[in-house]
Amino acid sequence: MKTYDDILIDKLENGVCCITLNRPEARNALRTQLLAELSDAFNTLNFDDSIRCVVLTGGEKVFAAGADVAEMASMGMMGIMQDERPKYWASIAAFPKPVIAAVNGYALGGGCELTMHADIIIAGSNAQFGQPEINLGIIPGAGGTQRLIRTVGKALASKMILTGEFINADTALSAGLVAEITQPESCIDRAIELAQKIAQKAPLAVQQVKAALNKSYETSLSDGLNFEREAFVMLAGTDDRNEGLAAFLEKRKPEFNGK
Ligand code: DAK
């Protein structure tokens, strides 16, 4: 896999790839180049059958301080209209394999929005989540007004987005934004452990689960149930489903091949 400047790619054992945002001097601010690299990495990993789950982190100190404010300040209305960043965000959102965000320190603005593109968020106890765009005279631009409210509810999302106040890991856990809290130094390892567990499951079933869960965000219950039903029927035609059921009955560990 190719190397990048703003992100580090680490292919680990057991089907997991770890992507680390790597602009520590700018608190991992998401400049266009970083987003383009992230999008390219996800597109590449999509077609890499050896990778079944991705861990996304900013390291042990900070996840990401949001869009690069210096870069944004140089963009006028035409620049924003012709902005290539929405295209990169869309390809991150469309990545079909599970993504686990391991979040230490600040996840602000676009950084908080990036965590919400993940399927599971594991937070170090030092994590802080916030949408402080209002302090800059702008609003969230990568789905923050839509995804945060669907995740933590109107009361907390409105408070965070209207005041710019941050929430800590405990509040994020009780609000349902994060799945688990760890010590900061264990956060990435715990995310990798979960990713390796997911990577052992049947890949087609895992991808259908991700698609169905995401569908629930944007459709009615009856349409969502239809989607689930179709996915369930489709999976009945896979080798892995036959292998999973047979392995249970034969009291052995299944060997899934993604077919
Ligand atoms: N952009 C650029 N540089 C940043 C930055 C950012 N977001 N955050 C920090 N830095 C830089 C600082 O300028 C400083 O650089 P030097 O002065 O050393 O050259 C260095 O990182 C260290 O920052 P601090 O000295 O401030 O470090 P602290 O630990 O004291 O504070 C902080 C960390 C994260 C609390 C603080 O830096 C901070 O408040 N940063 C800004 C947070 C923020 O306002 N974030 C929201 C940005 S707006 C869109 C999609 C998304 C978005 C927009 C459009 N489209 C698809 C259209 C998203 C918008 C946003 O995220």
Side-chain angles (χ1 to χ4, degrees), residues 150-200:
R150 284 166 166 78
T151 307
V152 305
K154 184 169 188 293
L156 185 56
S158 302
K159 188 175 91 159
M160 288 171 68
I161 296 173
L162 285 170
T163 66
E165 280 183 13
F166 306 161
I167 57 170
N168 63 21
D170 287 331
T171 305
L173 181 70
S174 58
L177 178 60
V178 313
E180 220 176 274
I181 300 177
T182 67
Q183 291 301 312
E185 60 278 11
S186 318
C187 183
I188 298 171
D189 284 347
R190 176 61 180 149
I192 291 171
E193 187 183 7
L194 289 173
Q196 287 176 334
K197 183 177 269 192
I198 293 169
Q200 286 167 21

mmCIF file of all heavy atoms in Angstrom, residues 150-200:
data_model
loop_
_atom_site.group_PDB
_atom_site.id
_atom_site.type_symbol
_atom_site.label_atom_id
_atom_site.label_comp_id
_atom_site.label_asym_id
_atom_site.label_seq_id
_atom_site.Cartn_x
_atom_site.Cartn_y
_atom_site.Cartn_z
ATOM 1 N N ARG A 150 -28.863 12.838 15.743
ATOM 2 C CA ARG A 150 -29.367 11.457 15.654
ATOM 3 C C ARG A 150 -28.662 10.550 16.667
ATOM 4 O O ARG A 150 -29.159 9.484 17.008
ATOM 5 C CB ARG A 150 -29.167 10.900 14.243
ATOM 6 C CG ARG A 150 -30.174 11.430 13.218
ATOM 7 C CD ARG A 150 -29.685 11.097 11.802
ATOM 8 N NE ARG A 150 -30.703 11.257 10.779
ATOM 9 C CZ ARG A 150 -31.089 12.427 10.267
ATOM 10 N NH1 ARG A 150 -30.563 13.562 10.719
ATOM 11 N NH2 ARG A 150 -32.014 12.483 9.326
ATOM 12 N N THR A 151 -27.494 10.937 17.101
ATOM 13 C CA THR A 151 -26.722 10.081 18.009
ATOM 14 C C THR A 151 -26.984 10.414 19.472
ATOM 15 O O THR A 151 -27.254 9.525 20.273
ATOM 16 C CB THR A 151 -25.209 10.234 17.701
ATOM 17 O OG1 THR A 151 -25.010 10.009 16.320
ATOM 18 C CG2 THR A 151 -24.389 9.239 18.502
ATOM 19 N N VAL A 152 -26.920 11.710 19.815
ATOM 20 C CA VAL A 152 -27.030 12.064 21.248
ATOM 21 C C VAL A 152 -28.372 12.721 21.579
ATOM 22 O O VAL A 152 -28.630 12.994 22.751
ATOM 23 C CB VAL A 152 -25.877 12.998 21.707
ATOM 24 C CG1 VAL A 152 -24.529 12.380 21.386
ATOM 25 C CG2 VAL A 152 -25.984 14.391 21.093
ATOM 26 N N GLY A 153 -29.189 12.967 20.566
ATOM 27 C CA GLY A 153 -30.500 13.593 20.816
ATOM 28 C C GLY A 153 -30.432 15.112 20.712
ATOM 29 O O GLY A 153 -29.361 15.729 20.718
ATOM 30 N N LYS A 154 -31.631 15.719 20.645
ATOM 31 C CA LYS A 154 -31.722 17.160 20.356
ATOM 32 C C LYS A 154 -31.150 18.017 21.475
ATOM 33 O O LYS A 154 -30.467 19.021 21.216
ATOM 34 C CB LYS A 154 -33.200 17.532 20.125
ATOM 35 C CG LYS A 154 -33.414 18.981 19.716
ATOM 36 C CD LYS A 154 -34.843 19.190 19.253
ATOM 37 C CE LYS A 154 -35.058 20.565 18.653
ATOM 38 N NZ LYS A 154 -34.944 21.670 19.588
ATOM 39 N N ALA A 155 -31.418 17.618 22.725
ATOM 40 C CA ALA A 155 -31.027 18.486 23.839
ATOM 41 C C ALA A 155 -29.511 18.699 23.864
ATOM 42 O O ALA A 155 -29.026 19.845 23.860
ATOM 43 C CB ALA A 155 -31.503 17.878 25.157
ATOM 44 N N LEU A 156 -28.774 17.605 23.880
ATOM 45 C CA LEU A 156 -27.317 17.737 23.993
ATOM 46 C C LEU A 156 -26.694 18.260 22.699
ATOM 47 O O LEU A 156 -25.783 19.096 22.725
ATOM 48 C CB LEU A 156 -26.703 16.388 24.389
ATOM 49 C CG LEU A 156 -25.210 16.386 24.665
ATOM 50 C CD1 LEU A 156 -24.832 17.405 25.751
ATOM 51 C CD2 LEU A 156 -24.729 14.994 25.078
ATOM 52 N N ALA A 157 -27.202 17.776 21.550
ATOM 53 C CA ALA A 157 -26.638 18.236 20.269
ATOM 54 C C ALA A 157 -26.841 19.740 20.117
ATOM 55 O O ALA A 157 -25.916 20.460 19.714
ATOM 56 C CB ALA A 157 -27.287 17.484 19.107
ATOM 57 N N SER A 158 -28.029 20.223 20.454
ATOM 58 C CA SER A 158 -28.300 21.664 20.316
ATOM 59 C C SER A 158 -27.394 22.456 21.246
ATOM 60 O O SER A 158 -26.851 23.505 20.870
ATOM 61 C CB SER A 158 -29.765 21.969 20.644
ATOM 62 O OG SER A 158 -30.607 21.231 19.799
ATOM 63 N N LYS A 159 -27.229 21.954 22.473
ATOM 64 C CA LYS A 159 -26.357 22.664 23.417
ATOM 65 C C LYS A 159 -24.930 22.718 22.882
ATOM 66 O O LYS A 159 -24.294 23.781 22.867
ATOM 67 C CB LYS A 159 -26.386 21.987 24.792
ATOM 68 C CG LYS A 159 -25.655 22.808 25.856
ATOM 69 C CD LYS A 159 -25.776 22.213 27.239
ATOM 70 C CE LYS A 159 -24.656 21.265 27.519
ATOM 71 N NZ LYS A 159 -24.405 21.018 28.937
ATOM 72 N N MET A 160 -24.448 21.593 22.412
ATOM 73 C CA MET A 160 -23.057 21.561 21.927
ATOM 74 C C MET A 160 -22.862 22.460 20.702
ATOM 75 O O MET A 160 -21.898 23.221 20.623
ATOM 76 C CB MET A 160 -22.663 20.120 21.554
ATOM 77 C CG MET A 160 -22.475 19.210 22.743
ATOM 78 S SD MET A 160 -22.274 17.482 22.240
ATOM 79 C CE MET A 160 -20.675 17.524 21.428
ATOM 80 N N ILE A 161 -23.795 22.384 19.751
ATOM 81 C CA ILE A 161 -23.576 23.093 18.480
ATOM 82 C C ILE A 161 -23.869 24.585 18.618
ATOM 83 O O ILE A 161 -23.208 25.424 18.004
ATOM 84 C CB ILE A 161 -24.422 22.441 17.354
ATOM 85 C CG1 ILE A 161 -23.926 21.004 17.123
ATOM 86 C CG2 ILE A 161 -24.319 23.236 16.060
ATOM 87 C CD1 ILE A 161 -24.770 20.187 16.154
ATOM 88 N N LEU A 162 -24.839 24.931 19.488
ATOM 89 C CA LEU A 162 -25.164 26.369 19.658
ATOM 90 C C LEU A 162 -24.186 27.093 20.579
ATOM 91 O O LEU A 162 -23.934 28.286 20.404
ATOM 92 C CB LEU A 162 -26.592 26.520 20.198
ATOM 93 C CG LEU A 162 -27.693 26.258 19.161
ATOM 94 C CD1 LEU A 162 -29.062 26.188 19.821
ATOM 95 C CD2 LEU A 162 -27.683 27.331 18.081
ATOM 96 N N THR A 163 -23.642 26.380 21.565
ATOM 97 C CA THR A 163 -22.716 27.053 22.492
ATOM 98 C C THR A 163 -21.254 26.807 22.150
ATOM 99 O O THR A 163 -20.384 27.555 22.601
ATOM 100 C CB THR A 163 -22.913 26.559 23.948
ATOM 101 O OG1 THR A 163 -22.524 25.169 24.008
ATOM 102 C CG2 THR A 163 -24.350 26.707 24.418
ATOM 103 N N GLY A 164 -20.977 25.743 21.406
ATOM 104 C CA GLY A 164 -19.581 25.381 21.139
ATOM 105 C C GLY A 164 -18.922 24.673 22.316
ATOM 106 O O GLY A 164 -17.723 24.388 22.269
ATOM 107 N N GLU A 165 -19.694 24.372 23.364
ATOM 108 C CA GLU A 165 -19.111 23.690 24.535
ATOM 109 C C GLU A 165 -18.724 22.249 24.199
ATOM 110 O O GLU A 165 -19.419 21.570 23.440
ATOM 111 C CB GLU A 165 -20.128 23.656 25.690
ATOM 112 C CG GLU A 165 -20.197 24.961 26.456
ATOM 113 C CD GLU A 165 -21.163 24.890 27.649
ATOM 114 O OE1 GLU A 165 -21.592 23.781 28.046
ATOM 115 O OE2 GLU A 165 -21.496 25.967 28.153
ATOM 116 N N PHE A 166 -17.645 21.787 24.817
ATOM 117 C CA PHE A 166 -17.199 20.409 24.601
ATOM 118 C C PHE A 166 -17.868 19.483 25.625
ATOM 119 O O PHE A 166 -18.294 19.927 26.690
ATOM 120 C CB PHE A 166 -15.682 20.283 24.789
ATOM 121 C CG PHE A 166 -14.856 21.234 23.948
ATOM 122 C CD1 PHE A 166 -13.534 21.512 24.288
ATOM 123 C CD2 PHE A 166 -15.392 21.839 22.811
ATOM 124 C CE1 PHE A 166 -12.767 22.375 23.515
ATOM 125 C CE2 PHE A 166 -14.632 22.709 22.027
ATOM 126 C CZ PHE A 166 -13.322 22.981 22.393
ATOM 127 N N ILE A 167 -17.907 18.201 25.305
ATOM 128 C CA ILE A 167 -18.296 17.196 26.302
ATOM 129 C C ILE A 167 -17.117 16.255 26.526
ATOM 130 O O ILE A 167 -16.317 16.021 25.612
ATOM 131 C CB ILE A 167 -19.555 16.385 25.905
ATOM 132 C CG1 ILE A 167 -19.382 15.673 24.555
ATOM 133 C CG2 ILE A 167 -20.780 17.288 25.891
ATOM 134 C CD1 ILE A 167 -20.496 14.679 24.241
ATOM 135 N N ASN A 168 -17.017 15.725 27.751
ATOM 136 C CA ASN A 168 -15.919 14.802 28.041
ATOM 137 C C ASN A 168 -16.335 13.360 27.731
ATOM 138 O O ASN A 168 -17.468 13.097 27.312
ATOM 139 C CB ASN A 168 -15.436 14.975 29.485
ATOM 140 C CG ASN A 168 -16.524 14.624 30.496
ATOM 141 O OD1 ASN A 168 -17.471 13.906 30.178
ATOM 142 N ND2 ASN A 168 -16.375 15.125 31.713
ATOM 143 N N ALA A 169 -15.407 12.450 27.970
ATOM 144 C CA ALA A 169 -15.650 11.046 27.605
ATOM 145 C C ALA A 169 -16.836 10.460 28.369
ATOM 146 O O ALA A 169 -17.640 9.718 27.799
ATOM 147 C CB ALA A 169 -14.383 10.228 27.864
ATOM 148 N N ASP A 170 -16.971 10.808 29.650
ATOM 149 C CA ASP A 170 -18.083 10.261 30.436
ATOM 150 C C ASP A 170 -19.426 10.695 29.864
ATOM 151 O O ASP A 170 -20.362 9.891 29.743
ATOM 152 C CB ASP A 170 -17.986 10.727 31.905
ATOM 153 C CG ASP A 170 -16.862 10.016 32.631
ATOM 154 O OD1 ASP A 170 -16.546 8.869 32.246
ATOM 155 O OD2 ASP A 170 -16.281 10.612 33.556
ATOM 156 N N THR A 171 -19.534 11.984 29.554
ATOM 157 C CA THR A 171 -20.799 12.482 28.979
ATOM 158 C C THR A 171 -21.044 11.832 27.622
ATOM 159 O O THR A 171 -22.182 11.443 27.296
ATOM 160 C CB THR A 171 -20.757 14.017 28.838
ATOM 161 O OG1 THR A 171 -20.454 14.576 30.109
ATOM 162 C CG2 THR A 171 -22.070 14.576 28.330
ATOM 163 N N ALA A 172 -19.968 11.697 26.831
ATOM 164 C CA ALA A 172 -20.122 11.075 25.506
ATOM 165 C C ALA A 172 -20.601 9.630 25.643
ATOM 166 O O ALA A 172 -21.406 9.155 24.843
ATOM 167 C CB ALA A 172 -18.797 11.130 24.749
ATOM 168 N N LEU A 173 -20.124 8.949 26.692
ATOM 169 C CA LEU A 173 -20.553 7.560 26.899
ATOM 170 C C LEU A 173 -22.020 7.522 27.297
ATOM 171 O O LEU A 173 -22.819 6.773 26.726
ATOM 172 C CB LEU A 173 -19.698 6.899 27.984
ATOM 173 C CG LEU A 173 -20.038 5.441 28.285
ATOM 174 C CD1 LEU A 173 -19.641 4.538 27.105
ATOM 175 C CD2 LEU A 173 -19.340 4.957 29.554
ATOM 176 N N SER A 174 -22.395 8.379 28.263
ATOM 177 C CA SER A 174 -23.792 8.307 28.717
ATOM 178 C C SER A 174 -24.755 8.804 27.639
ATOM 179 O O SER A 174 -25.914 8.396 27.600
ATOM 180 C CB SER A 174 -23.993 9.056 30.044
ATOM 181 O OG SER A 174 -23.621 10.385 29.891
ATOM 182 N N ALA A 175 -24.263 9.643 26.719
ATOM 183 C CA ALA A 175 -25.136 10.132 25.639
ATOM 184 C C ALA A 175 -25.196 9.158 24.457
ATOM 185 O O ALA A 175 -25.968 9.372 23.523
ATOM 186 C CB ALA A 175 -24.621 11.487 25.155
ATOM 187 N N GLY A 176 -24.372 8.120 24.487
ATOM 188 C CA GLY A 176 -24.418 7.145 23.400
ATOM 189 C C GLY A 176 -23.529 7.484 22.216
ATOM 190 O O GLY A 176 -23.623 6.853 21.161
ATOM 191 N N LEU A 177 -22.662 8.487 22.374
ATOM 192 C CA LEU A 177 -21.754 8.820 21.268
ATOM 193 C C LEU A 177 -20.603 7.820 21.198
ATOM 194 O O LEU A 177 -20.156 7.455 20.115
ATOM 195 C CB LEU A 177 -21.211 10.251 21.468
ATOM 196 C CG LEU A 177 -20.207 10.774 20.445
ATOM 197 C CD1 LEU A 177 -20.806 10.790 19.038
ATOM 198 C CD2 LEU A 177 -19.759 12.198 20.813
ATOM 199 N N VAL A 178 -20.118 7.394 22.360
ATOM 200 C CA VAL A 178 -19.018 6.429 22.364
ATOM 201 C C VAL A 178 -19.490 5.118 22.989
ATOM 202 O O VAL A 178 -20.428 5.094 23.788
ATOM 203 C CB VAL A 178 -17.764 6.970 23.109
ATOM 204 C CG1 VAL A 178 -17.417 8.377 22.677
ATOM 205 C CG2 VAL A 178 -17.890 6.890 24.608
ATOM 206 N N ALA A 179 -18.808 4.046 22.593
ATOM 207 C CA ALA A 179 -19.220 2.717 23.058
ATOM 208 C C ALA A 179 -18.519 2.319 24.338
ATOM 209 O O ALA A 179 -19.034 1.511 25.112
ATOM 210 C CB ALA A 179 -18.928 1.682 21.970
ATOM 211 N N GLU A 180 -17.335 2.875 24.559
ATOM 212 C CA GLU A 180 -16.507 2.419 25.683
ATOM 213 C C GLU A 180 -15.469 3.486 26.007
ATOM 214 O O GLU A 180 -15.022 4.205 25.104
ATOM 215 C CB GLU A 180 -15.752 1.163 25.208
ATOM 216 C CG GLU A 180 -15.624 0.055 26.206
ATOM 217 C CD GLU A 180 -14.948 -1.154 25.581
ATOM 218 O OE1 GLU A 180 -15.655 -1.971 24.962
ATOM 219 O OE2 GLU A 180 -13.725 -1.289 25.701
ATOM 220 N N ILE A 181 -15.066 3.536 27.280
ATOM 221 C CA ILE A 181 -13.971 4.433 27.678
ATOM 222 C C ILE A 181 -12.811 3.577 28.183
ATOM 223 O O ILE A 181 -13.028 2.592 28.904
ATOM 224 C CB ILE A 181 -14.409 5.398 28.795
ATOM 225 C CG1 ILE A 181 -15.579 6.255 28.325
ATOM 226 C CG2 ILE A 181 -13.249 6.294 29.230
ATOM 227 C CD1 ILE A 181 -16.125 7.190 29.399
ATOM 228 N N THR A 182 -11.601 3.979 27.805
ATOM 229 C CA THR A 182 -10.408 3.260 28.277
ATOM 230 C C THR A 182 -9.423 4.276 28.850
ATOM 231 O O THR A 182 -9.608 5.484 28.709
ATOM 232 C CB THR A 182 -9.684 2.553 27.111
ATOM 233 O OG1 THR A 182 -9.161 3.568 26.242
ATOM 234 C CG2 THR A 182 -10.600 1.637 26.329
ATOM 235 N N GLN A 183 -8.353 3.772 29.439
ATOM 236 C CA GLN A 183 -7.224 4.644 29.744
ATOM 237 C C GLN A 183 -6.673 5.164 28.407
ATOM 238 O O GLN A 183 -6.695 4.413 27.416
ATOM 239 C CB GLN A 183 -6.122 3.860 30.471
ATOM 240 C CG GLN A 183 -6.488 3.427 31.872
ATOM 241 C CD GLN A 183 -6.836 4.615 32.758
ATOM 242 O OE1 GLN A 183 -6.110 5.598 32.798
ATOM 243 N NE2 GLN A 183 -7.973 4.539 33.430
ATOM 244 N N PRO A 184 -6.174 6.394 28.362
ATOM 245 C CA PRO A 184 -5.692 6.932 27.076
ATOM 246 C C PRO A 184 -4.679 6.014 26.388
ATOM 247 O O PRO A 184 -4.749 5.803 25.176
ATOM 248 C CB PRO A 184 -5.043 8.264 27.476
ATOM 249 C CG PRO A 184 -5.755 8.669 28.724
ATOM 250 C CD PRO A 184 -6.107 7.403 29.438
ATOM 251 N N GLU A 185 -3.782 5.428 27.174
ATOM 252 C CA GLU A 185 -2.722 4.620 26.552
ATOM 253 C C GLU A 185 -3.238 3.265 26.045
ATOM 254 O O GLU A 185 -2.564 2.595 25.261
ATOM 255 C CB GLU A 185 -1.532 4.433 27.514
ATOM 256 C CG GLU A 185 -1.832 3.733 28.821
ATOM 257 C CD GLU A 185 -2.426 4.656 29.907
ATOM 258 O OE1 GLU A 185 -2.809 5.800 29.588
ATOM 259 O OE2 GLU A 185 -2.520 4.193 31.064
ATOM 260 N N SER A 186 -4.458 2.885 26.472
ATOM 261 C CA SER A 186 -5.005 1.588 26.022
ATOM 262 C C SER A 186 -6.018 1.745 24.893
ATOM 263 O O SER A 186 -6.514 0.746 24.363
ATOM 264 C CB SER A 186 -5.738 0.882 27.162
ATOM 265 O OG SER A 186 -5.042 0.985 28.346
ATOM 266 N N CYS A 187 -6.334 2.976 24.552
ATOM 267 C CA CYS A 187 -7.461 3.219 23.637
ATOM 268 C C CYS A 187 -7.243 2.561 22.267
ATOM 269 O O CYS A 187 -8.125 1.858 21.754
ATOM 270 C CB CYS A 187 -7.628 4.737 23.498
ATOM 271 S SG CYS A 187 -9.008 5.226 22.492
ATOM 272 N N ILE A 188 -6.077 2.763 21.689
ATOM 273 C CA ILE A 188 -5.833 2.220 20.338
ATOM 274 C C ILE A 188 -5.793 0.691 20.394
ATOM 275 O O ILE A 188 -6.382 0.011 19.545
ATOM 276 C CB ILE A 188 -4.533 2.802 19.753
ATOM 277 C CG1 ILE A 188 -4.672 4.329 19.619
ATOM 278 C CG2 ILE A 188 -4.203 2.180 18.407
ATOM 279 C CD1 ILE A 188 -3.389 5.045 19.254
ATOM 280 N N ASP A 189 -5.137 0.157 21.429
ATOM 281 C CA ASP A 189 -5.059 -1.309 21.543
ATOM 282 C C ASP A 189 -6.452 -1.928 21.682
ATOM 283 O O ASP A 189 -6.740 -2.971 21.107
ATOM 284 C CB ASP A 189 -4.214 -1.713 22.763
ATOM 285 C CG ASP A 189 -2.731 -1.521 22.492
ATOM 286 O OD1 ASP A 189 -2.368 -1.317 21.321
ATOM 287 O OD2 ASP A 189 -1.952 -1.553 23.461
ATOM 288 N N ARG A 190 -7.297 -1.264 22.456
ATOM 289 C CA ARG A 190 -8.663 -1.801 22.627
ATOM 290 C C ARG A 190 -9.431 -1.755 21.298
ATOM 291 O O ARG A 190 -10.149 -2.701 20.962
ATOM 292 C CB ARG A 190 -9.397 -0.989 23.712
ATOM 293 C CG ARG A 190 -10.833 -1.372 23.918
ATOM 294 C CD ARG A 190 -11.000 -2.815 24.362
ATOM 295 N NE ARG A 190 -12.401 -3.157 24.561
ATOM 296 C CZ ARG A 190 -12.905 -4.372 24.372
ATOM 297 N NH1 ARG A 190 -12.123 -5.381 24.019
ATOM 298 N NH2 ARG A 190 -14.191 -4.590 24.561
ATOM 299 N N ALA A 191 -9.246 -0.663 20.551
ATOM 300 C CA ALA A 191 -9.914 -0.567 19.249
ATOM 301 C C ALA A 191 -9.405 -1.664 18.315
ATOM 302 O O ALA A 191 -10.190 -2.295 17.591
ATOM 303 C CB ALA A 191 -9.679 0.821 18.638
ATOM 304 N N ILE A 192 -8.105 -1.909 18.350
ATOM 305 C CA ILE A 192 -7.537 -2.964 17.497
ATOM 306 C C ILE A 192 -8.079 -4.338 17.912
ATOM 307 O O ILE A 192 -8.422 -5.174 17.073
ATOM 308 C CB ILE A 192 -5.988 -2.933 17.557
ATOM 309 C CG1 ILE A 192 -5.477 -1.674 16.854
ATOM 310 C CG2 ILE A 192 -5.382 -4.190 16.939
ATOM 311 C CD1 ILE A 192 -3.988 -1.414 17.027
ATOM 312 N N GLU A 193 -8.193 -4.536 19.240
ATOM 313 C CA GLU A 193 -8.723 -5.823 19.727
ATOM 314 C C GLU A 193 -10.143 -6.056 19.190
ATOM 315 O O GLU A 193 -10.469 -7.144 18.704
ATOM 316 C CB GLU A 193 -8.725 -5.766 21.258
ATOM 317 C CG GLU A 193 -9.089 -7.043 21.944
ATOM 318 C CD GLU A 193 -9.146 -6.859 23.474
ATOM 319 O OE1 GLU A 193 -9.031 -5.719 23.968
ATOM 320 O OE2 GLU A 193 -9.317 -7.854 24.153
ATOM 321 N N LEU A 194 -10.969 -5.015 19.267
ATOM 322 C CA LEU A 194 -12.341 -5.153 18.754
ATOM 323 C C LEU A 194 -12.337 -5.349 17.241
ATOM 324 O O LEU A 194 -13.112 -6.143 16.698
ATOM 325 C CB LEU A 194 -13.172 -3.912 19.112
ATOM 326 C CG LEU A 194 -13.524 -3.757 20.586
ATOM 327 C CD1 LEU A 194 -14.200 -2.401 20.823
ATOM 328 C CD2 LEU A 194 -14.455 -4.882 21.044
ATOM 329 N N ALA A 195 -11.453 -4.614 16.560
ATOM 330 C CA ALA A 195 -11.388 -4.726 15.092
ATOM 331 C C ALA A 195 -10.979 -6.146 14.697
ATOM 332 O O ALA A 195 -11.523 -6.715 13.741
ATOM 333 C CB ALA A 195 -10.388 -3.716 14.541
ATOM 334 N N GLN A 196 -10.035 -6.734 15.446
ATOM 335 C CA GLN A 196 -9.609 -8.093 15.115
ATOM 336 C C GLN A 196 -10.730 -9.100 15.365
ATOM 337 O O GLN A 196 -10.875 -10.077 14.654
ATOM 338 C CB GLN A 196 -8.333 -8.449 15.889
ATOM 339 C CG GLN A 196 -7.138 -7.696 15.300
ATOM 340 C CD GLN A 196 -5.836 -7.909 16.046
ATOM 341 O OE1 GLN A 196 -5.843 -8.202 17.234
ATOM 342 N NE2 GLN A 196 -4.723 -7.719 15.358
ATOM 343 N N LYS A 197 -11.532 -8.813 16.379
ATOM 344 C CA LYS A 197 -12.691 -9.683 16.639
ATOM 345 C C LYS A 197 -13.671 -9.607 15.457
ATOM 346 O O LYS A 197 -14.134 -10.618 14.943
ATOM 347 C CB LYS A 197 -13.372 -9.235 17.941
ATOM 348 C CG LYS A 197 -14.518 -10.105 18.347
ATOM 349 C CD LYS A 197 -15.104 -9.675 19.680
ATOM 350 C CE LYS A 197 -14.458 -10.377 20.852
ATOM 351 N NZ LYS A 197 -15.169 -10.200 22.114
ATOM 352 N N ILE A 198 -13.970 -8.388 15.009
ATOM 353 C CA ILE A 198 -14.902 -8.206 13.878
ATOM 354 C C ILE A 198 -14.328 -8.832 12.611
ATOM 355 O O ILE A 198 -15.062 -9.435 11.812
ATOM 356 C CB ILE A 198 -15.198 -6.704 13.671
ATOM 357 C CG1 ILE A 198 -15.989 -6.159 14.859
ATOM 358 C CG2 ILE A 198 -15.947 -6.465 12.366
ATOM 359 C CD1 ILE A 198 -16.104 -4.642 14.903
ATOM 360 N N ALA A 199 -13.004 -8.706 12.438
ATOM 361 C CA ALA A 199 -12.358 -9.210 11.221
ATOM 362 C C ALA A 199 -12.445 -10.728 11.094
ATOM 363 O O ALA A 199 -12.249 -11.279 10.016
ATOM 364 C CB ALA A 199 -10.894 -8.763 11.182
ATOM 365 N N GLN A 200 -12.743 -11.400 12.211
ATOM 366 C CA GLN A 200 -12.878 -12.871 12.148
ATOM 367 C C GLN A 200 -14.270 -13.307 11.702
ATOM 368 O O GLN A 200 -14.509 -14.475 11.438
ATOM 369 C CB GLN A 200 -12.619 -13.473 13.525
ATOM 370 C CG GLN A 200 -11.156 -13.453 13.920
ATOM 371 C CD GLN A 200 -10.972 -13.765 15.391
ATOM 372 O OE1 GLN A 200 -11.834 -14.361 16.023
ATOM 373 N NE2 GLN A 200 -9.850 -13.336 15.932
#
